[in-house]
Amino acid sequence: MRTFAFARADSVARAVESQQGDPASAFVAGGTTLLDLVKLDVMRPSRVIDINALPLNTVERLPDDRLRIGALVTNTDLAYHPDVLADHPLLSQAILAGASSQVRNMATTGGNLMQRTRCPYFRDAAAACNKREPGSGCDALHGVNRMHAVLGGSSECVAVHPSDMCVALAAIGATLTLHGPRGEREIEFADFHRLPGTTPYLEHDLDNELIVAVTLAPPLVPLGAAYVKLRDRAAYEFALASAGAMLSLDEELIGEARLALGGVATKPWRCREAEASLAGKRADTAAFEAAADLALADARPLSHNAFKIPLARQAIVRALRDAARRAREDDA
Amino acid sequence: MMETTEHSPEAAVSVHLTLNGVPVTAEVSPNAILLDVLREQLGLTGTKKGCDHGQCGACTVHVEGRAMNACLRLAVMCEGQAITTIEGLAEGGRLHPVQQAFLDHDAFQCGYCSPGQIMSAVALLEDRRVPGDVTTVREAMSGNLCRCGAYQNILAAIQDARLRRHGQEGGDDA
Ligand SMILES: Cc1cc2nc3c(=O)[nH]c(=O)nc-3n(C[C@H](O)[C@H](O)[C@H](O)COP(=O)(O)OP(=O)(O)OC[C@H]3O[C@@H](n4cnc5c(N)ncnc54)[C@H](O)[C@@H]3O)c2cc1C
Ligand code: FES
Ligand code: FES
């Protein structure tokens, strides 16, 4: 394992300042992505800045009733937080569908947003990968691409964004608070992750900044929410396809619908057209299937993953159906 | 307020831990992994290395009471923290009830995964946020792989320890 220098930051300002001084440095929060990839020689920080002493580990309710999650709140604490369970069950479900108890205990909110793809070619320092080594090519395009993206890919990169938590954030809507050398700014979650295009190594919108907090949009009321994750084994595995759905129901008519996908796209994938198609419709299988078809209209399979399209369709229909059922129960 | 502390790659950093209840200071390099420090520097080889990438759970220890993968944690990140390993569970020569339950239920074959399984199980039983039904317990324990396939007996041991610890109420609080 490569060596690196180490610093412990004791304030947000100093963490940012510390990173400024050395662009090859990396923050460490839970360490579950960073250290995994340092061991594989995929991430090569010259310096690691421990941010765990920063006061960013609380979930607060703002005066306008939204929930503000500190970047260091662990995935476990977030999933079991009473306010999150009450307002945003989709977020709890998505987090608990991911990784293991141990990893969730270590993983943080900020780190989860920044986790890297599980593409085996990205994780293999000897393979061609435009994300890891710009210009080296993409071994996944004609390689074993069973796990790869059918939405949002380019001729340079088809790596999946692996986060479950981020699928829930895409559906719920959130604002990120970032702290950088020029102070604090906010950015919509939807604008944070980038499509690979011709620059797959640019994954997000951070510019030498620290993620400080994630503020969730207000919940839909009354709310039904469901996260359906389909994978090779029932637990402790990344998604082949996942769908996060939220519905508000007025009698049997859908008020507002939200839908986002994981495991099939190069970034957390919100399906706005499918959402719009559901508004005002009866909450039935026909409407859910039509929405699923819209959500996947642009899906393009690679040589080994055509199965992901029907799989994602089933995940969407099931998530919408479960969300509708829960909305009815909630209303009762 | 303390200054942001800087250590060069070659530095020996002093890390102060409470290890199985005892204060310990270790001199480690910035990139030293907690698992390796426990096993090779501090002589606690009960914690195992399987995959070294967070994928098997053999290295599970408690950091401040929470189950974590020691293979994905820097030793220097543990400054001031309480760490419990499998060696720290027994008290006064008596096995921890979860250790005893693993014996009673024959919840292992080769035993390589057992320290990690037991550390996960102990943390799980102490976390009252996690429901105690079998489906939830299976998921909560899924971060510990067992190459010998002792899963059924592991599950039985955990649910038995739960019953003894929490009584009937703990068994069905899902
Ligand atoms: C075996 C295994 C299985 C997994 N399974 C799943 C799964 O099924 N679903 C899923 O969603 N995830 C899964 N994960 C991924 C896991 O959720 C992420 O590794 C975790 O969320 C990363 O958080 P962290 O705090 O550990 O990040 P770290 O490793 O500490 O950091 C990751 C990156 O983010 C940067 N960073 C961290 N915090 C900040 C911040 N506040 N501001 C700016 N940059 C920051 C770091 O510099 C680093 O580049 C799995 C991981 C493992 C090891
Ligand atoms: S050795 Fe740590 S999880 Fe496998
Ligand atoms: S008992 Fe052999 S690996 Fe679990």
Side-chain angles (χ1 to χ4, degrees):
Chain A
M1 188 173 162
R2 274 173 206 261
T3 59
F4 43 75
F6 178 75
R8 241 176 240 128
D10 61 356
S11 73
V12 167
R14 262 207 279 269
V16 170
E17 198 179 293
S18 176
Q19 196 199 28
Q20 274 304 101
D22 188 351
S25 60
F27 298 126
V28 66
T32 60
T33 288
L34 182 71
L35 297 172
D36 181 29
L37 293 176
V38 170
K39 288 182 181 189
L40 293 173
D41 208 21
V42 168
M43 289 179 82
R44 300 172 180 180
S46 62
R47 189 152 147 279
V48 169
I49 305 167
D50 185 354
I51 57 173
N52 284 289
L54 306 183
L56 304 175
N57 60 356
T58 55
V59 178
E60 285 170 66
R61 196 175 276 287
L62 300 180
D64 65 7
D65 228 29
R66 290 182 303 159
L67 294 179
R68 186 182 203 262
I69 305 159
L72 289 171
V73 174
T74 65
N75 285 183
T76 302
D77 285 348
L78 188 57
Y80 288 117
H81 195 284
D83 288 339
V84 173
L85 284 165
D87 287 16
H88 298 287
L90 185 67
L91 183 55
S92 295
Q93 290 173 38
I95 292 171
L96 293 175
S100 62
S101 304
Q102 295 96 315
V103 172
R104 296 191 295 258
N105 283 342
M106 305 167 82
T108 63
T109 306
N112 197 315
L113 289 165
M114 295 285 290
Q115 69 173 289
R116 312 292 303 273
T117 183
R118 304 296 291 196
C119 170
Y121 302 104
F122 171 77
R123 290 171 62 83
D124 174 359
C129 171
N130 289 320
K131 190 186 271 301
R132 177 168 37 70
E133 207 166 308
S136 64
C138 171
D139 273 346
L141 279 177
H142 304 289
V144 181
N145 48 34
R146 178 176 175 271
M147 300 294 292
H148 289 73
V150 294
L151 287 164
S154 72
S155 58
E156 311 255 316
C157 180
V158 286
V160 159
H161 192 280
S163 172
D164 292 296
M165 184 190 92
C166 288
V167 176
L169 292 182
I172 291 165
T175 307
L176 311 186
T177 306
L178 312 177
H179 196 105
R182 287 175 303 281
E184 219 163 82
R185 69 173 173 122
E186 294 198 326
I187 176 175
E188 286 310 304
F189 174 79
D191 300 327
F192 181 72
H193 295 102
R194 297 191 185 177
L195 291 173
T198 55
T199 54
Y201 46 90
L202 300 178
E203 297 180 341
H204 52 70
D205 204 51
L206 279 193
D207 180 15
N208 280 312
E209 290 156 306
L210 180 80
I211 302 167
V212 179
V214 176
T215 304
L216 302 176
L220 304 183
V221 191
L223 167 71
Y227 189 72
V228 170
K229 179 174 177 181
L230 303 175
R231 42 188 159 172
D232 281 329
R233 58 182 183 194
Y236 200 19
E237 184 56 276
F238 289 90
L240 290 168
S242 72
M246 309 198 308
L247 289 179
S248 70
L249 279 190
D250 185 5
E251 301 292 329
E252 263 312 287
L253 295 189
I254 298 167
E256 201 176 336
R258 299 282 182 76
L259 181 66
L261 305 181
V264 289
T266 52
K267 64 176 260 182
W269 200 258
R270 175 112 179 237
C271 309
R272 289 184 191 270
E273 275 183 58
E275 292 175 358
S277 80
L278 287 164
K281 295 268 166 58
R282 279 189 66 82
D284 59 20
T285 306
F288 300 154
E289 287 180 346
D293 289 337
L294 265 179
L296 296 164
D298 293 333
R300 295 288 171 269
L302 302 162
S303 44
H304 293 271
N305 69 1
F307 73 97
K308 278 198 172 186
I309 297 174
L311 198 69
R313 189 171 186 273
Q314 283 311 106
I316 294 169
V317 172
R318 228 170 82 192
L320 287 167
R321 197 188 289 156
D322 289 352
R325 181 172 45 75
R326 290 183 186 145
R328 288 184 201 108
E329 285 164 5
D330 198 43
D331 219 16
Chain B
M1 201 189 260
M2 69 181 185
E3 279 301 302
T4 301
T5 27
E6 285 283 347
H7 303 279
S8 75
E10 304 76 32
V13 186
S14 297
V15 179
H16 307 85
L17 311 171
T18 304
L19 183 56
N20 296 328
V22 179
V24 168
T25 304
E27 305 291 323
V28 304
S29 51
N31 71 345
I33 296 291
L34 176 62
L35 174 60
D36 299 327
V37 171
L38 288 172
R39 288 181 54 85
E40 287 169 26
Q41 224 170 309
L42 300 170
L44 296 177
T45 53
T47 307
K48 302 302 182 208
K49 184 184 284 196
C51 66
D52 215 16
H53 286 277
Q55 299 175 4
C56 78
C59 65
T60 305
V61 299
H62 297 175
V63 179
E64 299 285 320
R66 300 283 182 95
M68 294 191 185
N69 300 116
C71 69
L72 290 185
R73 196 168 174 82
L74 293 175
V76 286
M77 289 166 67
C78 301
E79 172 61 31
Q81 293 188 315
I83 293 177
T84 307
T85 67
I86 189 74
E87 290 90 345
L89 284 187
E91 266 180 68
R94 278 178 67 93
L95 291 181
H96 185 282
V98 174
Q99 289 175 308
Q100 189 60 51
F102 269 62
L103 281 178
D104 295 346
H105 288 269
D106 203 13
F108 48 83
Q109 288 172 44
C110 77
Y112 196 80
C113 72
S114 308
Q117 301 277 3
I118 291 169
M119 296 312 286
S120 283
V122 169
L124 174 65
L125 291 177
E126 274 166 23
D127 191 343
R128 300 306 301 266
R129 300 173 301 184
V130 187
D133 64 284
V134 166
T135 309
T136 307
V137 172
R138 280 212 169 101
E139 194 290 325
M141 289 298 297
S142 68
N144 292 84
L145 303 191
C146 173
R147 288 295 301 267
C148 300
Y151 295 110
Q152 291 303 335
N153 292 1
I154 292 170
L155 187 64
I158 295 170
Q159 295 303 69
D160 188 26
R162 173 187 304 280
L163 215 60
R164 288 191 208 177
R165 184 189 154 100
H166 301 308
Q168 213 55 53
E169 153 269 334
D172 56 22
D173 62 359

